[in-house]
Amino acid sequence: MTTVVFVLLPGVHLLDLAGPAQAFFTAGDFGQPYDLRYVAATPAGDRPGPDAGVVASAQGLPLVAGTDWPTLGRDDLVVVPGWRVGSDPAAWPLVSEPVRERLREHHAAGGTTASVCAGADALGQAGLLDGRRCTTHHAVQDDLAARHPRAHVVRDVLFTTDDGVVTSAGIASGIDLSLHLLAMRHGPALAARVAREMVVYARRNGTEPQASAMLRHRSHVDDTVHRVQNHIDTHYARALPLADLATHAGVAERTLTRLFTRAAGVTPLRYQQLLRLERAEHLIGHGATVESAARTVGFQDPRMLRRLRSGDEPGSR
């Protein structure tokens, strides 16, 4: 079972923590359980006392967590939720060296390290933002850039991923980040089911292609279309004739096309193409050839993938 460790610092925002925790917890309802752990991180300079495991949240609710870290593998995740940011960045928590070392070790071992909102500063203190793209809440992007001049702060996007370091803009965008990680690990169908269960249909887009096709075209509440999208998400690499999709939905072909286009903004075929294209881009980015990526995602002819990548396919814009 994959472990997710949430590192809690004083002033932690409840939604920064609860949103991702709920997403990974809900994944367990659909056959992908996660072991959620919480670690109270004592700021540098503070001596651990009898209340070392009690973390005061920004909203006033005290959180009780252990101080010992579990043993982590490369498939596990470490997430640093953000904290309340005051007007003086110098007053932000100074992460202790043991915590910084844990973050560095996990990343060096091939694990994914993520942050929500101002939690990116903790990754920066560990040196994980140096030379990498990152983001944070729009109100503190300048502060993050000033505190970590070797980081490449990307502004006004929901989240970024760079070499195992994933950072998000803050508050509710931690849910977007978590759905993205679930989609990358288990496929878009699982992430879609989690999103629907959490009733977060409306997805916000940044200027980066980090918002997956599955998320971009799920901002509706049409159950018939969602059922068809679930089927396409699961079987996107197969041939899916419109007649078969209509039978799956229990409606006529023309009705399905009309409902799907109205709700999702694209036709069923176009939606399938977008899923294939997105998965192919991921494979190519990890060293696959265009030909092998095309075969893996279901294209019979790699020329179709090339046309979609270039935007020359009719209806691709």
Side-chain angles (χ1 to χ4, degrees):
M1 185 186 299
T2 300
T3 297
V4 183
V5 174
F6 293 94
V7 182
L8 310 183
L9 284 153
V12 60
H13 276 301
L14 291 178
L15 187 54
D16 282 18
L17 166 63
Q22 183 67 51
F24 289 113
F25 176 82
T26 302
D29 294 337
F30 303 109
Q32 297 293 343
Y34 282 79
D35 181 18
L36 306 185
R37 303 289 189 93
Y38 306 90
V39 174
T42 302
D46 287 2
R47 300 175 69 95
D51 296 328
V54 179
V55 179
S57 70
Q59 288 71 34
L61 179 69
L63 305 174
V64 179
T67 56
D68 294 330
W69 286 66
T71 301
L72 298 176
R74 63 177 301 156
D75 291 333
D76 297 325
L77 304 171
V78 175
V79 181
V80 185
W83 49 80
R84 185 176 185 182
V85 177
S87 58
D88 181 12
W92 292 6
L94 181 61
V95 180
S96 66
E97 178 54 31
V99 172
R100 296 199 298 268
E101 184 60 27
R102 285 279 191 170
L103 295 173
R104 287 191 293 265
E105 287 177 352
H106 183 60
H107 180 265
T112 297
T113 306
S115 66
V116 183
C117 195
D121 184 64
L123 305 190
Q125 292 183 46
L128 296 183
L129 300 186
D130 292 351
R132 294 190 175 95
R133 297 164 61 255
C134 61
T135 195
T136 188
H137 192 281
H138 58 83
V140 294
Q141 289 170 353
D142 290 341
D143 295 327
L144 185 69
R147 288 169 66 84
H148 307 288
R150 296 181 61 190
H152 303 302
V153 179
V154 183
R155 300 171 187 277
D156 301 322
V157 297
L158 285 180
F159 58 87
T160 64
T161 63
D162 192 336
D163 187 29
V165 175
V166 188
T167 56
S168 66
I171 314 298
S173 69
I175 299 175
D176 299 82
L177 175 149
S178 303
L179 291 173
H180 168 74
L181 291 174
L182 289 172
M184 291 298 100
R185 287 166 170 259
H186 310 295
L190 185 280
R193 296 179 74 184
V194 170
R196 291 196 66 205
E197 184 70 15
M198 293 177 65
V199 199
V200 286
Y201 300 143
R203 310 311 306 160
R204 301 160 299 144
N205 299 319
T207 57
E208 295 278 300
Q210 80 281 5
S212 70
M214 179 274 293
L215 297 179
R216 288 199 305 272
H217 299 286
R218 287 258 184 181
S219 56
H220 62 84
V221 292
D222 189 313
D223 283 339
T224 297
V225 175
H226 276 302
R227 286 201 306 274
V228 175
Q229 286 179 300
N230 287 343
H231 187 68
I232 297 174
D233 292 345
T234 304
H235 306 292
Y236 68 90
R238 302 181 186 176
L240 297 174
L242 181 62
D244 292 353
L245 294 177
T247 299
H248 182 80
V251 298
E253 294 180 34
R254 291 181 60 183
T255 300
L256 175 60
T257 299
R258 175 174 54 80
L259 292 176
F260 202 103
T261 304
R262 182 178 64 189
V266 292
T267 66
L269 173 61
R270 178 59 181 154
Y271 181 71
Q272 182 185 24
Q273 287 180 335
L274 289 172
L275 291 178
R276 287 180 170 183
L277 175 61
E278 188 170 81
R279 182 59 181 166
E281 293 287 7
H282 176 76
L283 294 172
I284 292 169
H286 285 73
T289 65
V290 172
E291 289 74 15
S292 66
R295 289 193 300 270
T296 299
V297 302
F299 288 118
Q300 298 298 313
D301 189 338
R303 289 177 294 184
M304 172 63 78
L305 176 57
R306 290 192 177 94
R307 286 197 293 269
L308 288 171
R309 295 186 76 201
S310 66
D312 291 338
E313 179 67 16
S316 63
R317 292 184 175 84

